[in-house]
Amino acid sequence: MVADENRPDIACVILAGGASRRFGSPKGLALLEGVPLVDHVSNALKSQVNGPVILNAPEAGPYGVAGYTCIADRLTGEIGPLAGIHAALLWAQDEGYAFVLTAPVDTPFLPVDLVGRLRDTGAPAVAQSLGRIHGVCGLWPTTATGSLEAYIGSGQRKVEAWVLSIGATPVNFAAQGGKDPFFNINTRGDGDFAGVGSDGSA
């Protein structure tokens, strides 16, 4: 994609490291309107930034095999999404970025102004819709790595609690076309997605 001076130079990491137990297969590779969910999210972010858009997932897993650029968790154990945010922070810092945006792989309706509004609010900033904070969808300063490591090291795992502990500002996004822009797909029967087939087809 050609760089656009109107787009910020922000790195993005799509969190795709979950086991997808309820879904039954890697959610990001399931098709919605003929396009993998991961591509819906990736395309939405690539249209808003000049920086790289990669995945947090094992390189040897299905996303890596499918050709996506992946970074694995650097922490072990049952940590959940915070491990993905941690990996994103460290990777972005290693790449020389001051900020990194994270978003989950199962949210195909991300707002077209997501990055701009979070950036304008100032990191750390987190998405909110319909009165709910979406803790894994936010813009983080890479300097938050130490805070996150301390939080995880204390045994805590709640994403929203960490987000609020670092003073992240919630940024509210209205429903679009009657849908929550952060609607996430957990099962094949979720909302309008009952038609996503067991083989990933729609």
Side-chain angles (χ1 to χ4, degrees):
M1 181 175 292
V2 177
D4 183 336
E5 63 181 12
N6 294 316
R7 295 195 301 256
D9 192 27
I10 291 175
C12 299
V13 176
I14 301 171
L15 304 185
S20 298
R21 293 187 181 91
R22 282 183 287 175
F23 199 76
S25 63
K27 282 189 288 186
L29 298 180
L31 304 183
L32 175 63
E33 298 179 348
V35 178
L37 294 180
V38 64
D39 284 356
H40 282 282
V41 178
S42 178
N43 291 339
L45 296 177
K46 286 179 179 178
S47 70
Q48 299 181 50
V49 301
N50 283 329
V53 178
I54 68 167
L55 273 63
N56 162 237
E59 291 180 348
Y63 295 106
V65 171
Y68 297 96
T69 299
C70 300
I71 56 168
D73 291 344
R74 300 200 193 182
L75 299 175
T76 58
E78 296 295 325
I79 297 173
L82 288 176
I85 296 176
H86 175 261
L89 288 169
L90 288 179
W91 168 79
Q93 193 171 50
D94 289 345
E95 294 294 315
Y97 288 92
F99 306 99
V100 62
L101 182 138
T102 60
V105 73
D106 57 2
T107 52
F109 306 118
L110 292 177
V112 297
D113 58 351
L114 173 65
V115 177
R117 292 192 58 200
L118 293 178
R119 177 200 58 185
D120 291 346
T121 298
V126 63
Q128 175 180 277
S129 64
L130 304 177
R132 178 187 173 195
I133 288 177
H134 305 285
V136 296
C137 192
L139 180 65
W140 321 109
T142 54
T143 54
T145 305
S147 166
L148 181 54
E149 290 177 345
Y151 182 83
I152 293 172
S154 70
Q156 301 184 77
R157 299 291 183 265
K158 292 184 178 180
V159 177
E160 185 174 334
W162 174 72
V163 166
L164 296 177
S165 76
I166 62 171
T169 302
V171 179
N172 189 64
F173 292 84
Q176 300 176 349
K179 291 182 179 179
D180 183 348
F182 300 98
F183 179 86
N184 67 295
I185 301 168
N186 286 317
T187 70
R188 295 185 186 280
D190 270 346
D192 296 335
F193 300 95
V196 177
S198 59
D199 61 351
S201 62

